[in-house]
Amino acid sequence: MLIVMKPHATAEQIEAVKQKISSMGFTAHSIPGAQRVAIGVTGNRDALEAELFITMPGVADAVRVSQPFKLVSREVKEEDTVIDVGGVLLGGRQIVVMAGPCSVESKEQILEAAAAVKRAGAVILRGGAFKPRTSPYEFQGLREEGLKLLALARERTGLKIVTEIKDTETVPMVAAYADILQVGARNMQNFSLLERLGSLDKPILLKRGLSATLKELLMAAEYIVSRGNHRVALCERGIRTFETMTRNTLDINAVPVLKALSHLPVIVDPSHGIGLRQHVPAIARAGVAAGADGLIIEVHPQPDKALSDGHQSLSSDEFATLMKQVEGIARAIQRPLISALPG
Ligand code: PEP
Ligand code: MN
């Protein structure tokens, strides 16, 4: 249930509603929002009677939330969530592009990639330091050394950094370096990790699982938000289908459907979505046209030498060309691209 307070409800009246919720054995969640004060109720098995709350002083309305995902739903919060990543606004009118290599491989590689993606207009640098690889014999990432190199690239370019968090043990270490923590597709339903991230004060980029439904993705986001971390962005990165010509099938439907069901920002990852370098630009353009709030794209200074995902990584030049196209599409739908910050 969602309890909406009157515009001039006092702090005491808000507190009284929260107290009542707790005394019933349920959890009260303050819903951040500029427009109104609202309190979400979770933990109840059966629907609550609206009368229990609408008779309380300061309460404007008590409405049932029909979706199983509560706090991330549009029913609970109508306005878009805008995540402030050190001045870069994710989920606002402007489209945010994150780009960089699949993995951080060396100082030269990450600094070159960072400079190139910044030049082309990206504002967030991606790069994995802890890589969840299908084979245990493949490159697993530079671990903390990789995080240090990302931090160096941030210092040199002013780009924010997004990097994958692979397990609960490394949360403090990764959080100490990253601006956004990325939960990979393989970890979308790692519930202990999601719960841990729920108590963190850092934005989370939650990628859709390889065969997860949109409901499962939203329920995974609910795990994080229900623990108190409201700064979650959803990422469509392609799902497993019967098709074998492409690595995955980017579910373009996910973009408008997620935007309608949830107030969280939606990011499209065309690189993992199709898995073929020559087709990444088409899918990136489609993502923006479909209403994504941002893109995350793999770019490598020498894609053919990449230690992971080279076949789907764009060269710096290819990325620069794509950014011009993306800018055109963004303009056509009245959503300008955020351009690189000075520094
Ligand atoms: C990645 O971003 O490099 C990655 C491993 O993505 P995903 O979890 O979507 O496979
Ligand atoms: Mn990758």
Side-chain angles (χ1 to χ4, degrees), residues 236-239 248-253 268-270 273-274 283 287:
E236 166 57 40
R237 48 76 73 201
I239 49 173
N248 290 300
T249 297
L250 189 114
D251 179 11
I252 201 77
N253 296 356
V268 160
D269 174 347
I274 193 158
I283 303 306

Side-chain angles (χ1 to χ4, degrees), residues 1-301:
M1 170 163 285
L2 178 74
I3 298 159
V4 184
M5 302 302 293
K6 287 181 179 159
H8 301 294
T10 64
E12 288 74 28
Q13 289 169 340
I14 296 168
E15 198 44 45
V17 171
K18 288 186 178 171
Q19 289 278 336
K20 179 154 178 168
I21 296 166
S22 311
S23 72
M24 294 167 83
F26 308 139
T27 311
H29 306 263
S30 301
I31 313 291
Q35 323 290 18
R36 60 181 186 181
V37 171
I39 302 158
V41 186
T42 61
N44 51 307
R45 286 175 144 266
D46 305 310
L48 295 173
E49 291 293 336
E51 284 69 33
L52 286 170
F53 297 98
I54 43 181
T55 49
M56 293 184 76
V59 173
D61 204 1
V63 282
R64 237 196 112 212
V65 180
S66 58
Q67 297 287 8
F69 39 90
K70 306 287 177 196
L71 305 176
V72 305
S73 77
R74 280 265 182 217
E75 288 179 86
V76 158
K77 186 169 172 254
E78 221 177 304
E79 72 206 78
D80 289 338
T81 284
V82 180
I83 304 174
D84 187 342
V85 187
V88 174
L89 300 182
L90 208 58
R93 214 170 73 77
Q94 294 179 299
I95 287 163
V96 174
V97 178
M98 316 178 195
C102 179
S103 306
V104 182
E105 298 168 3
S106 67
K107 181 174 165 186
E108 294 68 33
Q109 176 245 20
I110 196 67
L111 291 182
E112 200 178 329
V117 302
K118 179 179 172 164
R119 221 179 304 124
V123 284
I124 299 176
L125 175 67
R126 64 149 289 150
F130 290 89
K131 297 300 300 177
R133 305 304 301 280
T134 301
S135 163
Y137 307 118
E138 285 174 327
F139 180 58
Q140 302 288 312
L142 296 180
R143 299 164 192 258
E144 190 164 14
E145 184 51 29
L147 297 172
K148 287 186 176 153
L149 293 175
L150 283 169
L152 177 67
R154 171 176 52 202
E155 203 182 297
R156 297 263 177 102
T157 58
L159 295 170
K160 306 294 166 204
I161 56 184
V162 56
T163 194
E164 181 157 354
I165 178 70
K166 202 159 111 263
D167 47 44
T168 47
E169 291 76 25
T170 50
V171 167
M173 187 207 291
V174 177
Y177 293 94
D179 297 300
I180 305 176
L181 277 73
Q182 170 181 326
V183 176
R186 289 153 195 81
N187 258 325
M188 189 203 82
Q189 283 187 319
N190 179 342
F191 298 114
S192 346
L193 179 61
L194 299 177
E195 284 172 357
R196 180 77 182 73
L197 298 175
S199 55
L200 211 65
D201 185 20
K202 281 271 164 162
I204 309 296
L205 180 66
L206 178 63
K207 296 188 103 181
R208 182 179 185 180
L210 279 70
S211 56
T213 63
L214 296 180
K215 181 174 158 189
E216 286 163 341
L217 171 61
L218 290 164
M219 294 307 280
E222 188 82 8
Y223 263 88
I224 305 173
V225 175
S226 64
R227 294 277 165 141
N229 186 352
H230 293 261
R231 296 196 288 165
V232 177
L234 306 168
C235 180
E236 166 57 40
R237 48 76 73 201
I239 49 173
R240 281 264 165 95
T241 66
F242 50 80
E243 184 53 71
T244 54
M245 289 291 182
T246 54
R247 181 177 179 180
N248 290 300
T249 297
L250 189 114
D251 179 11
I252 201 77
N253 296 356
V255 180
V257 172
L258 288 172
K259 290 298 293 178
L261 291 172
S262 175
H263 50 82
L264 299 177
V266 174
I267 307 299
V268 160
D269 174 347
S271 310
H272 294 86
I274 193 158
L276 299 166
R277 184 186 308 152
Q278 72 270 33
H279 298 311
V280 165
I283 303 306
R285 297 191 302 261
V288 173
D293 298 297
L295 297 169
I296 181 162
I297 302 175
E298 288 185 337
V299 178
H300 195 288

